[in-house]
């Protein structure tokens, strides 16, 4: 397990563990709850996110000029909603934590939200999500829909095709993403060739691939998650191999990340397009430093996802705000946070006080055979979060924003 | 004073279709306190089974398709709303619930939702009964209107004059407006009645 963090037993469902590393007694200990599922349906994602959070926490604790340390409380709800509720309850009531970092799914976030709101605590949420929420008690560090779904759909309509086959897992994020896509297609004269959903975890995807081969849409928009998505990429690749002349279009995803490309396999994962505020390949000083520390800490083979990067960023935002406020008091931290901005691995970041979401730089990239992404487009400016898509019509008409892909980044995978 | 009255919900049957979690447990507890008999299900049971319930609480977060097609019209629907995304709300509206409850379920709100849903169904039944009466009346009015048009045309008179003579003829011959109008349209009116409908008759 991670250095400095207590080894966790096999069954750690609602238990909360307190990190007890060597911390100078003179520094105030501020408990921070880490709500990540390292096991269960999306355990692989949760583990990377926990790693990102721990790296950020350790970095904050290493600051010499502060008089506090963040003390991690770790629990593994194993993806069970009840587990999230119990762990959050224990963190808030027994351990008096006023800052919690984590939650991957919207269902998990909504499960703990009433507890966090009632305690007037703060949840630092790293994952992108479907939007249509804005709580005073949550800092939404992951991308809002206008920072991932909208730019990807716009890029698709302008540069790839307007006839779309939509495939997704049977749950809210897919439904909402498909709805936004339908709206954008309607406004731009595009065409939904078909819209299919599969139950969560379903890996029988052959019939979907067969339908795509038959319908020949201009592009495939994928919102499958986890094993369903991996199975789909592999089956799609197999169909391409069976009929090289079929020229099946690329698959577009809002959630495809580097650790998943490893799971899918190099060839099946290559040549597809994703939208995210961060990719491992982002060539900035801050990102190189982050990746270096991550690999040093968790091994050269470790591969952070965008959500792991956001978890790391959550912890830095929290540490900086506590430092600036001189206190972990939620109101003081919130005020300090609203004044802050800094360069995270994903680039400049700051929080919009109107809705508690972060400004981000959407990027679109194509996966390559090395399991990395080559940048195709990046927003020329930070994009203000619009969780309720109040400005969707304007985002649609901003054709200039998605200009042609810059040539220097183009590395087409054949 | 007359007006809406909130009934007792004792022994009413509530069906709760929702994943087994904290919200379902809380809702179950509130409903039992209000005297209802509660049946909890993870997924929607077959429509004939659900039709036995007085009220169905359904989850908007996980719902899909048209689960209430063919449901008995006596069943009230209450939506349990989590994510307020347009897609989910559109699906909820398509189910035409009589009331809704926001999740997380709290100690308050359940009673209000029940009161709303029960009142709305009564209102809806009242409206439907009223519409049915209007429909019937409209169906009956058709021959009357056609007969008036015919009288106006034949006698070159106003609508008011035509209606007056039709009503007078109906009263004099002790027949209903509809029966008389149908006879006029079928052109099998006995001469005495025909005379009554002549201009100035």
């Amino acid at each position: 397990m991670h250095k400095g963090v207590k080894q966790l037993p096999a069954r750690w469902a609602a238990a909360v563990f307190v990190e007890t590393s060597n911390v100078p007694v003179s520094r105030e200990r501020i408990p921070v709850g880490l709500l990540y599922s390292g096991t269960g349906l999306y355990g692989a994602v949760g583990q990377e996110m926990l790693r990102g959070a721990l790296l950020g926490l350790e970095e904050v604790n290493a600051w010499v000029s502060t008089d506090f340390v963040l003390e991690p409380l770790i629990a593994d709800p194993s993806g069970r909603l009840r587990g999230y509720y119990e762990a959050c309850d224990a963190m808030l009531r027994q351990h008096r934590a006023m800052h919690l970092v984590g939650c991957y799914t919207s269902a998990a976030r909504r499960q703990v939200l009433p507890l966090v709101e009632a305690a007037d605590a703060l949840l630092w949420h790293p994952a992108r999500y479907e939007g249509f929420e804005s709580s005073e008690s949550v800092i939404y560090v992951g991308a809002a829909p206008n920072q991932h779904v909208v730019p990807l759909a716009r890029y698709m309509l302008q540069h790839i095709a307007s006839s779309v086959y939509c495939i997704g897992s049977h749950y809210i994020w897919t439904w909402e993403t498909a709805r936004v896509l339908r709206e954008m297609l309607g406004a731009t004269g595009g065409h939904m060739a078909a819209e299919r959903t599969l139950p969560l975890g379903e890996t029988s995807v052959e019939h979907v691939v067969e339908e795509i081969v038959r319908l020949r849409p201009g592009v495939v928009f994928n919102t499958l998650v986890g094993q369903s998505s991996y199975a789909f990429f592999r089956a799609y690749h197999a169909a391409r191999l069976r009929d090289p002349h079929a020229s099946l279009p690329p698959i577009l995803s809002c959630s495809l990340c580097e650790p998943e490309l490893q799971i899918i396999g190099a060839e099946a994962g290559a040549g597809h397009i994703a939208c995210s505020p961060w990719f491992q390949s982002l060539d900035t000083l801050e990102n190189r430093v982050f990746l270096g520390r991550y690999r040093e800490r968790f091994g050269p083979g470790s591969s952070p996802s965008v959500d792991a990067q956001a978890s790391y960023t959550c912890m830095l935002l929290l540490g900086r705000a506590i430092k600036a406020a001189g206190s972990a008091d939620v109101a003081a931290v919130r005020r300090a946070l609203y004044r802050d901005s800094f360069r995270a691995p994903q680039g400049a970041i700051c929080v919009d006080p109107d809705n508690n979401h972060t400004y981000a730089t959407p990027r679109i990239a194509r996966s390559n055979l090395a399991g990395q992404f080559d940048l195709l487009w990046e927003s020329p400016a930070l994009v203000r979060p619009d969780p309720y898509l109040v400005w969707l019509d304007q985002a649609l008409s901003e054709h200039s924003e998605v200009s042609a892909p810059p040539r220097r980044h183009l590395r087409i995978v054949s | 004073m007359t007006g809406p009255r909130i009934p007792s919900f004792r022994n009413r049957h509530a069906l709760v279709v929702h994943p087994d979690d904290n919200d379902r447990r809380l809702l179950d507890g509130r409903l039992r306190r209000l005297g209802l008999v509660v049946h909890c299900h993870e997924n929607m049971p077959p429509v004939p089974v659900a039709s036995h319930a007085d009220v169905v609480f359904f989850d908007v977060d996980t719902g899909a398709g048209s689960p209430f097609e063919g449901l008995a019209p006596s069943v009230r629907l209450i939506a349990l709303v989590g994510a307020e995304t347009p897609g989910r709300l559109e699906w909820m509206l398509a189910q035409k619930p009589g009331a809704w409850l926001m999740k997380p379920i709290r100690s308050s709100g359940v009673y209000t939702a029940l009161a709303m849903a029960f009142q709305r169904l009564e209102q809806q039944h009242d409206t439907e009964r009223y519409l049915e009466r209007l429909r019937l009346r409209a169906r009956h009015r058709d021959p009357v209107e056609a007969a008036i048009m015919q009288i106006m045309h034949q006698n070159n008179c106003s609508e008011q004059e035509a209606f007056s003579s039709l009503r007078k003829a109906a009263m004099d011959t002790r027949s209903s407006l509809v029966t008389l109008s149908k006879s006029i349209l079928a052109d099998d009116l006995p001469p005495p009645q025909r005379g009554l409908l002549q201009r100035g008759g």
Side-chain angles (χ1 to χ4, degrees):
Chain A
M1 192 67 198
H2 317 298
K3 186 175 69 184
V5 175
K6 216 175 198 175
Q7 181 70 49
L8 303 169
R11 273 190 66 79
W12 49 336
V16 174
F17 291 84
V18 181
E19 139 74 351
T20 51
S21 61
N22 301 326
V23 168
V25 263
S26 57
R27 294 167 76 179
E28 185 194 353
R29 287 161 176 265
I30 297 170
V32 178
L34 302 182
L35 279 166
Y36 292 108
S37 289
T39 54
L41 194 63
Y42 48 88
V45 179
Q47 279 172 25
E48 290 293 345
M49 291 172 80
L50 178 63
R51 284 175 164 186
L54 287 169
L55 189 69
L57 180 138
E58 288 164 7
E59 201 171 305
V60 170
N61 286 352
W63 291 343
V64 287
S65 57
T66 56
D67 56 0
F68 67 89
V69 288
L70 302 178
E71 192 163 55
L73 310 168
I74 303 174
D76 182 358
S78 295
R80 293 177 313 110
L81 295 179
R82 183 80 193 158
Y84 277 96
Y85 186 91
E86 287 167 354
C88 178
D89 190 47
M91 287 168 176
L92 292 168
R93 293 207 298 181
Q94 290 169 26
H95 298 274
R96 306 272 168 214
M98 292 308 281
H99 296 279
L100 308 169
V101 182
C103 291
Y104 178 57
T105 65
S106 289
R109 183 182 65 258
R110 275 196 296 277
Q111 193 69 198
V112 303
L113 192 56
L115 293 173
V116 176
E117 286 182 340
D120 200 13
L122 261 190
L123 171 67
W124 302 70
H125 182 68
R128 67 200 163 307
Y129 82 117
E130 66 280 351
F132 293 90
E133 188 184 295
S134 176
S135 167
E136 290 301 309
S137 298
V138 181
I139 305 299
Y140 303 84
V141 178
N146 73 310
Q147 295 165 332
H148 65 307
V149 181
V150 174
L152 182 60
R154 199 171 45 198
Y155 184 88
M156 173 191 83
L157 291 165
Q158 290 179 13
H159 296 292
I160 305 174
S162 56
S163 157
V164 190
Y165 185 100
C166 206
I167 171 73
S169 294
H170 203 53
Y171 82 126
I172 192 157
W173 184 64
T174 288
W175 294 329
E176 187 50 30
T177 304
R179 188 198 66 83
V180 172
L181 194 61
R182 269 198 306 275
E183 201 161 309
M184 293 179 72
L185 286 174
T188 54
H191 163 64
M192 187 76 94
E195 204 181 323
R196 303 281 176 257
T197 59
L198 298 175
L200 276 170
E202 176 65 65
T203 53
S204 168
V205 295
E206 279 301 333
H207 63 290
V208 175
V209 175
E210 280 165 19
E211 191 177 46
I212 294 170
V213 170
R214 199 174 65 249
L215 293 176
R216 298 291 164 91
V219 66
V220 176
F221 203 96
N222 166 42
T223 48
L224 290 166
V225 292
Q227 292 302 330
S228 306
S229 185
Y230 313 149
F232 175 64
F233 274 101
R234 289 188 202 117
Y236 198 75
H237 181 60
R240 274 181 163 172
L241 292 180
R242 271 198 304 274
D243 183 6
H245 304 296
S247 63
L248 288 175
I251 300 171
L252 269 61
S253 309
C254 297
S255 61
L256 189 66
C257 58
E258 294 84 349
E260 292 187 308
L261 291 177
Q262 268 180 18
I263 300 170
I264 292 165
E267 294 203 339
H272 300 295
I273 293 171
C275 183
S276 170
W278 178 87
F279 292 101
Q280 279 185 23
S281 57
L282 199 58
D283 191 18
T284 63
L285 173 65
E286 292 78 15
N287 194 39
R288 283 195 296 274
V289 169
F290 166 70
L291 289 173
R293 284 182 185 160
Y294 195 95
R295 287 176 183 140
E296 190 187 334
R297 176 73 171 79
F298 304 110
S302 60
S303 183
S305 63
V306 59
D307 302 308
Q309 182 269 157
S311 292
Y312 168 84
T313 302
C314 277
M315 214 49 97
L316 293 193
L317 282 167
L318 169 63
R320 291 169 64 92
I322 293 176
K323 187 179 173 187
S327 149
D329 172 74
V330 167
V333 163
R334 221 192 258 117
R335 277 196 301 275
L337 176 72
Y338 293 157
R339 287 193 298 268
D340 193 22
S341 73
F342 74 103
R343 297 198 69 82
Q346 69 175 52
I349 196 163
C350 58
V351 173
D352 184 348
D354 285 348
N355 55 36
N356 276 2
H357 290 62
T358 50
Y359 280 73
T361 307
R363 296 178 170 92
I364 291 167
R366 191 197 309 264
S367 55
N368 59 31
L369 282 164
Q372 292 292 321
F373 284 95
D374 300 320
L375 199 65
L376 293 175
W377 171 84
E378 76 177 357
S379 168
L382 276 170
V383 173
R384 190 179 184 189
D386 181 17
Y388 291 95
L389 292 176
V390 175
W391 300 98
L392 180 60
D393 54 341
Q394 210 168 81
L396 271 171
S397 63
E398 283 166 8
H399 289 285
S400 57
E401 200 183 313
V402 182
S403 51
R407 280 187 181 281
R408 63 197 159 88
H409 293 305
L410 259 182
R411 284 175 220 124
I412 307 281
V413 175
S414 56
Chain B
M1 189 191 91
T2 57
R5 286 187 177 253
I6 297 172
S8 164
F9 299 115
R10 196 179 65 242
N11 290 334
R12 295 289 201 160
H13 284 252
L15 176 65
V16 180
V17 186
H18 194 277
D20 182 12
D21 65 5
N22 225 30
D23 284 320
R24 195 172 92 177
R25 270 188 286 275
L26 275 167
L27 180 60
D28 186 9
R30 299 312 303 177
L31 293 171
R32 284 174 199 281
R33 266 186 226 185
L34 291 165
L36 289 100
V37 181
V38 188
H39 313 269
C40 290
H41 288 261
E42 195 94 12
N43 300 304
M44 178 72 181
V47 161
V49 177
S51 290
H52 289 296
D54 294 296
V55 55
V56 175
F57 290 82
F58 65 97
D59 185 30
V60 177
D61 280 343
T62 55
S66 315
F68 304 119
E69 222 167 62
L71 192 73
S74 56
V75 185
R76 294 101 182 145
L77 292 178
I78 300 182
L80 301 171
V81 183
E84 289 182 284
T85 58
R88 290 290 76 203
L89 296 182
E90 281 165 8
W91 181 81
M92 176 197 75
L93 292 172
Q95 312 314 313
K96 302 193 172 88
W100 51 272
L101 262 175
M102 281 311 292
K103 295 194 282 182
I105 302 298
R106 298 170 52 206
S107 56
S108 54
V110 177
Y111 190 57
T112 307
L114 276 173
M116 280 287 282
F118 275 72
Q119 159 68 8
R120 283 289 297 276
L121 189 76
E122 263 187 38
Q123 238 172 20
Q124 195 185 321
H125 285 174
D126 284 351
T127 311
E128 274 164 16
R129 277 194 291 271
Y130 179 61
L131 280 175
E132 191 48 38
R133 277 207 305 278
L134 286 180
R135 256 184 242 121
L136 264 172
R137 204 178 291 172
R139 255 209 315 275
H140 285 153
R141 273 185 73 97
D142 283 345
V144 178
E145 273 171 17
I148 290 172
M149 292 297 286
Q150 193 170 311
I151 297 165
M152 284 165 70
H153 184 69
Q154 283 172 355
N155 296 318
N156 195 22
C157 61
S158 71
E159 187 181 349
Q160 188 58 46
E161 285 167 336
F163 180 66
S164 297
S165 51
L166 182 68
R167 194 174 53 184
K168 188 166 183 302
M171 279 161 65
D172 289 354
T173 57
R174 299 183 177 206
S175 54
S176 77
L177 275 176
V178 176
T179 315
L180 182 61
S181 299
K182 281 180 178 166
S183 302
I184 293 169
L185 295 171
D187 202 22
D188 60 353
L189 214 56
Q193 287 180 15
R194 198 171 294 168
L196 288 169
L197 289 168
Q198 297 300 319
R199 195 180 180 107

